[in-house]
Amino acid sequence: MTEDVVTYERRGATAVVTMNRPRYRNAQNSAMTYALDAAFTRAVDDAEVKVIVLAGAGDHFSAGHDIGTPGRDVDVSFERKAVLWWDHVDRPGGDQRFARESEVYLGMCRRWREIPKPMIAMVQGACVAGGLMLAWVCDLIICSDDAFFADPVVRMGIPGVEYFAHPWVLGPRAAKEFLFTGDRFSAAWALERGMVNRVVPRAELESEVDAVAARIAGMPQFGLALAKKAVNQAEDQMGLRAGMDSVFGLHHFAHAHNAEVSADPLAGLDARSMKRATGGQ
Ligand code: ZN
């Protein structure tokens, strides 16, 4: 628990930020969230860094939010970086849950989407539920052919993860199939629908990402920042931001419904049962 949950490495003009809880398939707890934020801030502040790569150590990019490891810290007070809302970890019900998810999940993801330097998600193995949010806030997604994607939270009665980008990154029909089945979808499937940029053999993943990052690093920094903002603004014009806000309400209604009927906002499901449900061991 004392080792770094996120590592930072400079490779030329690229900063490689790596989630480092491989034993737990890089399940994201708040400690990791704020370590990621610190690493991204360092990369933004370093004038020599042109591109940021987000990676996951081990066999998997990320299995999602931490809903069951010994390092789970959902009831621990958290920093406020994304929104100036209260923390209220000591208060029950929707008050606590809305505060945490506004800041730690939706807010932080939105904050990272605004980072003025191009970000590439380097994805292998599992990219599931909360893991999708991390990949989606990056500008490019390059994955290995063994990568798979799933959002199984409809099994909990919840309409998708907090950063509800599904219809915008997949198109509405594929988004529905993705959500309605909760199944694992392959890298090839994601590529066909434009959710990822490139799929390469696992052995070539790092070199491919390096090559694309180097290519981008040759462009003028301010031009990249403006181009990124331009496309993000276009996505928002297509309803991304407003859509996410409205679905965040449905998401919290689902948590509240679960708490009301099953005394558990996750409908009694944990990491193991979720993994089994999506076809894992
Ligand atoms: Zn939630």
Side-chain angles (χ1 to χ4, degrees):
M1 301 284 277
T2 51
E3 75 243 59
D4 289 344
V5 292
V6 169
T7 63
Y8 184 93
E9 187 198 340
R10 257 288 298 277
R11 287 187 208 155
T14 303
V16 182
V17 174
T18 305
M19 296 178 276
N20 191 34
R21 297 184 79 204
R23 204 176 145 204
Y24 302 110
R25 306 200 305 166
N26 297 317
Q28 191 191 342
N29 56 9
S30 302
M32 183 189 279
T33 299
Y34 289 97
L36 283 173
D37 193 69
F40 294 149
T41 302
R42 185 172 165 188
V44 170
D45 287 345
D46 184 340
E48 303 304 314
V49 168
K50 300 286 290 288
V51 181
I52 302 166
V53 171
L54 174 60
D59 293 336
H60 301 281
F61 178 74
S62 174
H65 294 142
D66 189 343
I67 55 172
T69 84
R72 190 183 191 205
D73 53 9
V74 284
D75 41 17
V76 177
S77 193
F78 51 89
E79 291 180 55
R80 257 65 48 73
K81 283 266 171 102
V83 294
L84 188 50
W85 198 258
W86 49 56
D87 145 327
H88 282 188
V89 284
D90 54 344
R91 307 224 180 161
D95 187 343
Q96 179 196 112
R97 200 174 304 117
F98 186 80
R100 169 169 289 276
E101 297 204 350
S102 297
E103 157 68 24
V104 182
Y105 297 159
L106 180 59
M108 291 306 281
C109 282
R110 281 179 164 171
R111 173 173 155 89
W112 297 337
R113 177 176 178 255
E114 305 296 320
I115 288 170
K117 298 182 179 181
M119 292 176 62
I120 304 174
M122 180 166 76
V123 177
Q124 81 284 12
C127 181
V128 172
L132 293 166
M133 300 172 32
L134 296 170
W136 286 343
V137 298
C138 293
D139 304 297
L140 272 60
I141 301 175
I142 299 177
C143 63
S144 54
D145 49 15
D146 67 347
F148 59 90
F149 304 87
D151 186 353
V153 306
V154 176
R155 286 183 198 285
M156 299 173 168
I158 297 169
V161 288
E162 290 82 5
Y163 185 86
F164 191 78
H166 312 58
W168 289 271
V169 298
L170 280 166
R173 212 164 293 284
K176 285 175 179 169
E177 185 182 352
F178 196 63
L179 287 163
F180 292 177
T181 65
D183 284 343
R184 293 179 171 189
F185 290 85
S186 68
W189 184 89
L191 181 66
E192 222 170 284
R193 280 146 192 89
M195 199 194 89
V196 305
N197 295 84
R198 298 182 187 200
V199 179
V200 296
R202 176 68 168 264
E204 293 164 27
L205 180 60
E206 219 164 306
S207 58
E208 183 74 10
V209 169
D210 283 350
V212 173
R215 197 80 196 118
I216 294 171
M219 300 289 274
Q221 188 165 66
F222 191 47
L224 288 169
L226 294 179
K228 173 168 180 168
K229 207 170 178 56
V231 178
N232 282 2
Q233 283 177 184
E235 270 187 305
D236 288 338
Q237 298 283 353
M238 291 187 264
L240 176 79
R241 190 178 177 90
M244 259 185 209
D245 281 330
S246 70
V247 178
F248 197 59
L250 298 177
H251 182 98
H252 277 270
F253 175 59
H255 276 313
H257 175 74
N258 285 342
E260 208 174 318
V261 301
S262 72
D264 174 350
L266 301 183
L269 292 164
D270 61 11
R272 191 163 301 167
S273 53
M274 289 297 278
K275 192 176 170 190
R276 259 200 312 272
T278 56
Q281 303 306 310

